[in-house]
Amino acid sequence: MSASASMGKTADSRSNFSHTKAGSTINPVDDGPVESTSPQEYFSAAEEQEQEAGEEEDLTNKVLVVTAPCRIERSQGAGAKDLKKSKSSIQATVFDLFKGFSPGSDLTRFQLPPQFNLPKSQLQAYGESVYCCAQDLLGMCTAGATPLDRFLAVVGWHISTTRPAPFARAPYNPILGETHHVSAGDLNVICEQVSHHPPVSALYATSGSKKLQLLWWHHAVPRFCGNGVEITILGQRQLKLTEHHETYETTSPKLFIRFFPMPANEWLGNTTVRCIKSGLEASVSFRGRGFFGFRGSSNRVSGKIWEISTKRVLYELNGSWDKVVTVKNKHSGEICNLYDAQAAIVDIHAPVVENMKGVSSMESVNVWSDLTAALINGESAQAMRETKRGLEEMQRDLEQKRHASGVVWTPKHFRSTKEGTWVWHDEAAHVPCAPLVVK
C-alpha cells in the first residue's frame, strides 16, 4: 500500500485533470559516484539509456493526464454530507479487503484494487508537497536575516509539506526507475523510484536564486492495526541553505487511515527540525482524534523551539496544519502566525507540459497515463485491473531481460551510500529545467 504524502479532503479528482497531445499544453482544470557533468549533459546521457530492453517510447501521439494537486478546500459546504456517505459506503469494501490480516501485519507488498487509487503516482504526490505552494516558503527560509528567522521559516515550510488527500484512497505504487521532473519558477525538482523491495522514493531539488538544495528519500512501512492502517515514513529529509552554510534535518509524521468507528485519515506523531550550525531544534507534534476517533480535534499541531546547548525554550507553537499555526515568544509573550494553510495550499495548480519532446518515457504522468484516464473516465474495475496488469507484466519482462543479460539495474539520478542512505548523483550538478512546469 502506497502512503500518500498527504491526506484529508480534496475536490473530486474527475474535475481536476487535463489531457495533452504532442505539441499542445496541459491546462489543469482550476486546476558508486559518477563524474561531474553539466545538468544538460547528464540528463541527455540518462535519456539515451532510458530503457534497457528496447527503443525509447515514441510519445508523439500519446495522451498524458496530469491531475490537480491535493489541496485544502476553502469550505466543506454541502459536500460534507456526501463525503460522510462516501466514507460509510467504503467501509464494507475495506473490511473485505483486510479480513485476512491480523493486527501488526506488514502491508508493504499489498496491492490496492485500482478503484481505490488516486489518479496519480506516489512520486507526483511527494513532488507536489515541494513544488505546489501558493507562497514562496522556501524563499522565506533563505531570506531570513538571522539564524532564528531562518529556522522559524523552515519550521513553517516543514508543516506546509503536510497535504490533504481523500479518505481510503492512495496513489499508485511507483514502478522501478519511474521519474517525475517538474519546475516551479527556478525551483527544479526531480523524483525517482530507486528501489522496489523495499520501495524507496528519492527527491532532489535545487534553486539558483534561492541557493538551496533539498534531498528527500522515503520508505513507507504500512501495518494493519485492526481498525485501520498505520504508515510509518522512514528515510531522510534534508534542506541545505548553501548561502548560509546551514543544513536542516527534518522527520515525517505517521499517516493513520482509520476505517472505523469514525473513518478518517490523520497525520500523527512527533517530528523534529534540527540545525546544528544555528544550534536550534524544534519538536512538532501532530495530533488527531484518538484511536477510535471520538475525542479531541483533528489536524492539531503543537510544539516548541529551543536552543540545543542550553535547552532554553524560545518559542511555543500551536494550531492546525490545515488552518493556521502560530508561535508564541516565551520571553515577550508575543504571538504571530508561523504558517497559514489557506494562503499556502488552497490556490495551487497542476503542472503543464511545456516541452513534450523533453518528457521521459519513465515520467510518472506517462507511465500511468492509461490507468489515470481509466479512473477519471469511470471505467469498470475489470478494465482498470487489466490496464494495471499490463504495466506489471511489462515490468516483469524488463526484469527478466535484465536478469538474462546479466544487467544489474541502477538508478539514473541517485546513488546509494555505504551507510544505506541515498544521495544525488553529483552534488555539484543542479537539477535542470523540466518539461513539466507549474505556472
Side-chain angles (χ1 to χ4, degrees):
M1 174 179 289
S2 174
S4 172
S6 48
M7 51 160 229
K9 301 168 187 170
T10 187
D12 187 343
S13 61
R14 296 189 185 187
S15 66
N16 291 287
F17 72 98
S18 57
H19 297 271
T20 184
K21 289 188 177 181
S24 65
T25 302
I26 294 179
N27 296 309
V29 179
D30 191 32
D31 209 304
V34 297
E35 294 181 0
S36 178
T37 61
S38 71
Q40 291 74 20
E41 291 173 335
Y42 171 76
F43 272 73
S44 176
E47 291 303 323
E48 291 177 2
Q49 304 174 29
E50 186 64 41
Q51 291 186 353
E52 300 90 337
E55 296 295 326
E56 171 73 6
E57 181 183 358
D58 182 5
L59 302 181
T60 305
N61 297 311
K62 189 70 176 282
V63 175
L64 300 182
V65 180
V66 181
T67 52
C70 297
R71 59 189 178 187
I72 300 292
E73 294 304 306
R74 293 188 186 278
S75 64
Q76 294 182 19
K81 186 179 292 184
D82 294 335
L83 180 65
K84 188 174 181 180
K85 289 180 180 178
S86 173
K87 288 182 178 181
S88 298
S89 65
I90 289 172
Q91 278 180 313
T93 308
V94 166
F95 290 148
D96 235 13
L97 284 174
F98 293 97
K99 64 183 179 183
F101 293 96
S102 58
S105 296
D106 187 344
L107 302 177
T108 300
R109 300 198 180 195
F110 175 71
Q111 291 289 330
L112 276 175
Q115 61 267 34
F116 284 92
N117 281 130
L118 282 173
K120 67 178 67 184
S121 171
Q122 181 65 72
L123 285 187
Q124 183 179 343
Y126 277 145
E128 286 172 358
S129 62
V130 173
Y131 62 70
C132 279
C133 189
Q135 295 180 309
D136 186 12
L137 298 182
L138 282 171
M140 295 178 190
C141 295
T142 60
T146 67
L148 182 55
D149 290 338
R150 293 190 292 273
F151 191 88
L152 286 166
V154 170
V155 174
W157 168 78
H158 166 65
I159 297 170
S160 80
T161 60
T162 305
R163 301 296 174 92
F167 168 73
R169 297 184 70 192
Y172 317 127
N173 291 317
I175 64 173
L176 189 65
E178 179 183 331
T179 60
H180 185 54
H181 188 194
V182 177
S183 293
D186 82 335
L187 177 68
N188 301 312
V189 183
I190 190 161
C191 310
E192 182 176 11
Q193 191 69 9
V194 296
S195 174
H196 191 51
H197 297 302
V200 179
S201 304
L203 177 151
Y204 191 71
T206 58
S207 169
S209 64
K210 300 177 182 66
K211 296 181 175 59
L212 63 82
Q213 300 169 350
L214 177 64
L215 173 68
W216 285 5
W217 60 269
H218 294 154
H219 170 207
V221 182
R223 294 189 181 280
F224 184 60
C225 299
N227 72 327
V229 175
E230 181 184 80
I231 303 168
T232 302
I233 313 296
L234 305 176
Q236 182 183 44
R237 294 183 173 192
Q238 185 182 84
L239 172 63
K240 290 185 178 181
L241 306 183
T242 56
E243 183 178 23
H244 304 290
H245 307 287
E246 294 172 350
T247 299
Y248 297 81
E249 299 277 356
T250 69
T251 59
S252 173
K254 296 179 180 180
L255 174 61
F256 187 69
I257 305 169
R258 184 174 54 248
F259 302 139
F260 71 93
M262 297 290 287
N265 289 350
E266 293 185 307
W267 287 110
L268 302 172
N270 299 322
T271 67
T272 59
V273 179
R274 183 180 177 92
C275 179
I276 296 299
K277 184 181 179 185
S278 63
L280 297 170
E281 185 169 352
S283 65
V284 182
S285 299
F286 292 78
R287 305 194 307 275
R289 292 183 176 273
F291 186 75
F292 293 106
F294 293 121
R295 296 185 299 175
S297 302
S298 61
N299 305 336
R300 297 292 299 171
V301 170
S302 63
K304 58 185 179 179
I305 298 170
W306 66 89
E307 294 177 337
I308 297 174
S309 59
T310 64
K311 306 297 183 183
R312 182 169 67 96
V313 175
L314 305 177
Y315 288 91
E316 291 180 343
L317 57 97
N318 194 33
S320 301
W321 65 260
D322 61 338
K323 295 177 182 176
V324 173
V325 178
T326 62
V327 289
K328 178 180 180 180
N329 187 311
K330 289 287 289 180
H331 176 69
S332 67
E334 180 184 4
I335 298 175
C336 60
N337 285 357
L338 177 68
Y339 170 66
D340 184 350
Q342 295 293 314
I345 54 176
V346 169
D347 189 23
I348 54 177
H349 307 279
V352 300
V353 173
E354 285 208 335
N355 176 17
M356 191 67 181
K357 291 183 179 180
V359 177
S360 162
S361 65
M362 294 301 285
E363 163 62 46
S364 293
V365 296
N366 177 57
V367 169
W368 297 100
S369 58
D370 292 341
L371 181 55
T372 297
L375 279 167
I376 289 170
N377 293 332
E379 295 184 16
S380 68
Q382 178 62 29
M384 288 189 286
R385 279 194 295 269
E386 290 175 358
T387 300
K388 196 171 185 179
R389 189 180 301 117
L391 181 58
E392 292 167 350
E393 289 175 355
M394 180 195 75
Q395 284 297 293
R396 281 194 291 269
D397 289 344
L398 285 173
E399 186 176 352
Q400 289 172 1
K401 288 177 181 178
R402 286 194 296 264
H403 182 73
S405 60
V407 174
V408 177
W409 184 88
T410 56
K412 295 180 176 65
H413 309 301
F414 297 85
R415 58 184 176 85
S416 59
T417 68
K418 294 178 181 179
E419 293 77 24
T421 64
W422 290 90
V423 296
W424 179 238
H425 75 100
D426 180 3
E427 192 171 335
H430 294 288
V431 179
C433 295
L436 276 71
V437 176
V438 178
K439 295 294 188 179

